Amino acid sequence: GAGVSQSPRYKVAKRGQDVALRCDPISGHVSLFWYQQALGQGPEFLTYFQNEAQLDKSGLPSDRFFAERPEGSVSTLKIQRTQQEDSAVYLCASSPPPSSGTYEQYFGPGTRLTVT
Amino acid sequence: AQSVAQPEDQVNVAEGNPLTVKCTYSVSGNPYLFWYVQYPNRGLQFLLKYITGDNLVKGSYGFEAEFNKSQTSFHLKKPSALVSDSALYFCAVRPRHSGGYNKLIFGAGTRLAVHP
């Protein structure tokens, strides 16, 4: 079946521009996660949705970062007034409900954001 | 603070030889443990997990991992390496009591290079 998809795959933004990154999770997966992966680092948690509810946004680095999942499926991560330190790969992952007993997450290919 | 350590930035091994990629963690309780692999320009692919039970778990592509509670380690192993195993490997943990969802903490990654 189809996996997690993300678009665009690459994004170049000038400093100060706003960007929007899209994630299409696996159908039926209620849990959705965003991670930020800086060059040479492991992914770091940004935020978590269960259906349309954003239950944890403790990893968002500043109030310039905003995520939404209004209908409990597609999610968008928005970064306002981008800065060079925002350059990273943004990964989206989805998983079935915690009650399913499936503990692993399924990752998309990521969006590589470069801020110039 | 909760953390995952992968002490080797890179592991070099000859094709056909056994390989080990090390992972230790500092997380309270008995976390769930995972290994993911990342190929260039692709997202993370799930390899295997330890939830409970036998300390030796088997996963995809002939990989296995050994959980050692006293050493808080979860080393990835394969009896006979293939050139196609060359990739970036990430160890990840999920605290067992993390609010009921699968927030993952990742190590920085280890690059595995298998030489013909």
Side-chain angles (χ1 to χ4, degrees), chain A residues 9-10 33 35 37 40-43 45 48 56 58 91 95 98 101-105 107-109, chain B residues 32 34 36 38 41-44 46 49 51 88 90 94 100-109:
Chain A
R9 292 291 312 276
Y10 303 91
F33 303 80
Y35 292 85
Q37 186 177 16
Q41 302 292 322
F45 170 80
Y48 162 70
D56 188 341
S58 62
L91 296 168
S95 68
T102 296
Y103 299 90
E104 60 267 29
Q105 297 176 21
F107 284 80
Chain B
Y32 304 129
F34 305 84
Y36 285 83
Q38 187 174 40
N41 299 317
R42 297 176 66 177
L44 285 83
F46 169 74
K49 65 187 175 189
I51 303 301
L88 190 55
F90 289 96
R94 174 206 158 183
Y101 64 93
N102 301 333
K103 173 180 176 178
L104 294 176
I105 302 167
F106 284 87

Side-chain angles (χ1 to χ4, degrees), chain A residues 45-91:
Chain A
F45 170 80
L46 292 177
T47 188
Y48 162 70
F49 290 87
Q50 185 168 314
N51 295 305
E52 70 278 3
Q54 189 176 19
L55 299 186
D56 188 341
K57 53 182 181 179
S58 62
L60 296 176
S62 77
D63 59 7
R64 296 185 296 104
F65 286 71
F66 172 76
E68 59 183 4
R69 194 186 185 197
E71 298 180 357
S73 179
V74 171
S75 177
T76 303
L77 176 67
K78 298 179 179 178
I79 309 173
Q80 298 177 323
R81 304 180 305 280
T82 52
Q83 304 294 316
Q84 284 194 319
E85 61 263 29
D86 300 334
S87 295
V89 176
Y90 290 86
L91 296 168

